[in-house]
Structure formats: C-alpha cells, structure tokens
Amino acid sequence: MVTAPTPLEERLRALAGAVPDPELPMITLAELGVLRGLRVTGPGRVEVELTPTYTGCPAVEAMSADIERVLHEHGQAEVSVHTVLSPAWSTDDITAEGRRKLAASGIAPPRPGPLAGGPVALELGPTRLAAEPVRCPHCGSPDTTLLSRFSSTACKALRRCEACREPFDHFKEL
C-alpha cells in the first residue's frame, strides 16, 4: 500500500531534489529525474532511493554523498541512500525545466521519443532517431553533425552545428 508523503518527507525530498547534478550542475537531481523516493523510517532516519542515469555511472557516489550531506545539515542523523536500478532511468525522466536549463547552458537536451516503456532499437554505426534531428542549442538549426559518440561524460555526445559552426554537447537519448 502506497501512503501519501508526510510534510517532513515532502520537505526533505525537496531538499534532496535541489542537490545539483555533479556532472551537469545547471540542473538538480529532481530535474534530472534520478531521485526516485524518500521516506522517513524513524526519528532522524531517512532512506533515499536514487536511480543512476546508467549502470556504473561514476556520479552516483557523488550524488549520494551530496544528498547525505544536505539531509544531515537539516537534522537527519541517519541517511541511507540506496541505488535502485528498476525501473531503469530514461531521458524521458528529465523534466521540462531540466531540458530548458540544459539548452540554456549550451547542451542539446535529449530528443523526446517513444522510448518509455518499450524496447529500444539498437543500430550499429552512425544513426539518427528518425523522429527529430538534434538541434543546435546556440542557433536552433537542425543541421548538425556527430563528431564523437562520447563527450565530457559518457551520457553526452559531441556534435557540431553546420549553420553556426559551433560545437556542442548533446545529452544522448536512453
């Protein structure tokens, strides 16, 4: 049975959700969609559920430590952060505000797609999702070229806009 969160749980979830992502500090863990749950298990005791953007993501340790620090600073003596892999995180979990912030900081947000809840088709070699081109976050042109499948983090690719010639990161769809 699912119970409604208490006012304390809501406040603590807002605090944990406001923690910036260590690799994308312009967006919060709530905006990234990786904060999955929080419950108070006793006086001063909190359990948090966190889903990494992909299995083995090195940032999950920093996220956990930052959540623990923030909740300790707000009176929670025992904070336990658990990694939850199911349901898997998807780029569909990024909020509209998170997508806006990514674009405003020069990172093309992931394209919306029919990825949620269904199988993900994998193809070898350079591909584009047929639904929508990757648009340049600087000028908005859809005429972009993949330079590298990996950029500053494994979850981003490096692209260049053919219109304004600026390179940019693209948060890959999962």
Side-chain angles (χ1 to χ4, degrees):
M1 169 183 252
V2 177
T3 59
T6 67
L8 175 60
E9 288 170 330
E10 288 177 356
R11 183 174 67 83
L12 295 175
R13 184 179 176 106
L15 289 166
V19 168
D21 178 78
E23 295 178 336
L24 302 162
M26 75 290 295
I27 66 174
T28 67
L29 299 183
E31 292 163 342
L32 186 57
V34 297
L35 181 63
R36 292 295 170 98
L38 182 146
R39 70 190 154 122
V40 173
T41 59
R45 291 193 342 235
V46 180
E47 289 184 359
V48 179
E49 293 180 341
L50 189 65
T51 298
T53 55
Y54 65 95
T55 304
C57 175
V60 81
E61 288 180 31
M63 290 177 197
S64 297
D66 290 345
I67 289 170
E68 289 175 18
R69 179 186 45 77
V70 165
L71 296 180
H72 285 306
E73 289 172 356
H74 287 85
Q76 303 308 303
E78 292 181 46
V79 178
S80 179
V81 180
H82 303 282
T83 301
V84 178
L85 300 177
S86 181
W89 179 87
S90 159
T91 50
D92 292 338
D93 295 328
I94 301 174
T95 67
E97 180 64 7
R99 291 169 186 274
R100 185 197 67 72
K101 287 180 177 180
L102 285 170
S105 65
I107 299 172
R111 296 165 288 188
L115 302 175
V120 176
L122 297 177
E123 296 180 32
L124 300 177
T127 62
R128 276 192 179 187
L129 291 180
E132 198 174 312
V134 175
R135 294 191 169 274
C136 173
H138 305 294
C139 73
S141 172
D143 188 14
T144 64
T145 303
L146 178 67
L147 298 177
S148 175
R149 291 183 181 274
F150 297 100
S151 184
S152 57
T153 63
C155 58
K156 293 183 286 195
L158 182 62
R159 300 188 76 91
R160 180 181 59 231
C161 177
E162 299 303 330
C164 71
R165 306 299 293 169
E166 288 292 323
F168 63 92
D169 280 339
H170 167 232
F171 201 112
K172 296 184 280 189
E173 293 79 15
L174 281 179

